Amino acid sequence: MKIARLIDTAGQIHYGSPSAAGQARRLAGSLYEGLTETSETLTVARWLAPVLPVNIYGIGLNYRAHAIETGAALPESPVLFMKPTTTIANPGDSIPLPLACEHGPEVDYEAELAVLIGRTARDVPVAHALDYILGYTCANDVSARRWQKQGGAGQWIRGKSFDGFSPLGPWLVTADEIADPQALDVTCTLNGERVQTGNTSDMIFSVAEIIAFLSRDTTLLPGTLILTGTPPGVGMARNPPRYLSDGDQVVVEIAGIGALANPVRQTMP
């Protein structure tokens, strides 16, 4: 099932299953206890991020080709950072170029597979880790590189934490519809040009291994969102570097899930 959050033409927020263009069948129930499709058709005024997570974990350098393009050694364990929930943005929302990025262009795109935990997970073995996934969606782990590399005292979180730096969507595809999360094409298109191309088979740590790692002595609550890393082609690794500019259009697409499109805008003082 595809699960979307949406605002209808009456201004009400619903969960729905996308049907015809601009329409969805209303879903009744709870995201974590179960949703059931009804016969009611909703006219969509706006698609929203499919989930409002309770926590957001990010994994860095998790594609072999991306680690190679940055000149980094392959990590021996998952490289972990966290993002505040205020980074979540809806499909179609503008990615901001923050005023704090005052030393020149530095805001970068990162197409990622996002995983939503559906039930409480702790000390989960790799063999059973996928059983805890409610669904998958597209994410853009937007990153301000100078703040990530030089402005955060050696920690990445500041450069990943500005408002709007986690566009998400367009909907959540339930886990039963993704036979193998390690066999998905992931791409990013910037102004109509393909800039990232990869496949989740290139992950250094699989989705199951990431969940097992994160849940070791740490409780992953329902609603925990995990960004699983980005394939090669990010702007900072290009020669010359290619960062986002006002008016750009970024599209993250993952096979079997959908396409997440967001424009870029300069924040005004």
Side-chain angles (χ1 to χ4, degrees):
M1 178 187 292
K2 290 180 178 177
I3 300 172
R5 278 178 68 246
L6 60 97
I7 299 177
D8 67 11
T9 51
Q12 300 298 308
I13 297 176
H14 303 274
Y15 283 110
S17 180
S19 51
Q23 293 186 327
R25 287 292 184 91
R26 187 177 69 83
L27 297 173
S30 164
L31 180 62
Y32 301 108
E33 295 179 5
L35 291 167
T36 303
E37 187 174 294
T38 71
S39 60
E40 182 182 353
T41 297
L42 303 170
T43 300
V44 180
R46 185 184 182 196
W47 298 110
L48 301 175
V51 62
L52 296 175
V54 296
N55 286 308
I56 306 172
Y57 290 91
I59 305 298
L61 291 174
N62 196 36
Y63 282 69
R64 292 172 181 82
H66 174 53
I68 291 169
E69 75 173 348
T70 63
L74 298 186
E76 296 182 3
S77 60
V79 178
L80 176 64
F81 59 94
M82 295 188 74
K83 303 186 76 162
T85 56
T86 47
T87 61
I88 294 295
N90 303 308
D93 281 359
S94 294
I95 296 170
L97 302 178
L99 292 175
C101 299
E102 56 194 354
H103 296 278
E106 63 167 300
V107 178
D108 206 348
Y109 51 84
E110 289 192 17
E112 307 214 5
L113 174 68
V115 176
L116 182 66
I117 297 298
R119 59 191 179 98
T120 301
R122 189 176 188 275
D123 295 322
V124 174
V126 172
H128 300 293
L130 298 186
D131 297 339
Y132 290 80
I133 296 173
L134 176 59
Y136 302 89
T137 191
C138 304
N140 191 341
D141 177 24
V142 182
S143 305
R145 297 303 190 188
R146 192 193 71 83
W147 279 104
Q148 178 187 358
K149 300 293 185 178
Q150 289 87 36
Q155 298 189 33
W156 288 9
I157 187 169
R158 180 59 172 163
K160 303 276 190 175
S161 293
F162 294 111
D163 290 354
F165 267 28
S166 297
L168 202 66
W171 34 67
L172 187 75
V173 175
T174 53
D176 60 301
E177 297 215 3
I178 303 294
D180 183 1
Q182 304 309 141
L184 302 175
D185 289 330
V186 180
T187 64
C188 181
T189 302
L190 178 59
N191 300 331
E193 177 188 347
R194 183 70 58 81
V195 289
Q196 285 187 279
T197 301
N199 188 281
T200 55
S201 61
D202 190 44
M203 284 185 181
I204 299 168
F205 303 100
S206 70
V207 171
E209 289 170 331
I210 291 168
I211 292 171
F213 175 82
L214 293 178
S215 71
R216 188 175 184 185
D217 297 307
T218 299
T219 300
L220 304 183
L221 298 171
T224 297
L225 190 72
I226 304 171
L227 309 185
T228 58
T230 197
V234 296
M236 74 169 183
R238 292 177 172 270
N239 188 16
R242 183 175 181 178
Y243 295 120
L244 297 178
S245 299
D246 186 57
D248 283 349
Q249 180 80 7
V250 186
V251 180
V252 173
E253 188 166 5
I254 301 178
I257 297 177
L260 168 67
N262 296 90
V264 180
R265 66 169 174 83
Q266 179 65 56
T267 303
M268 301 305 292

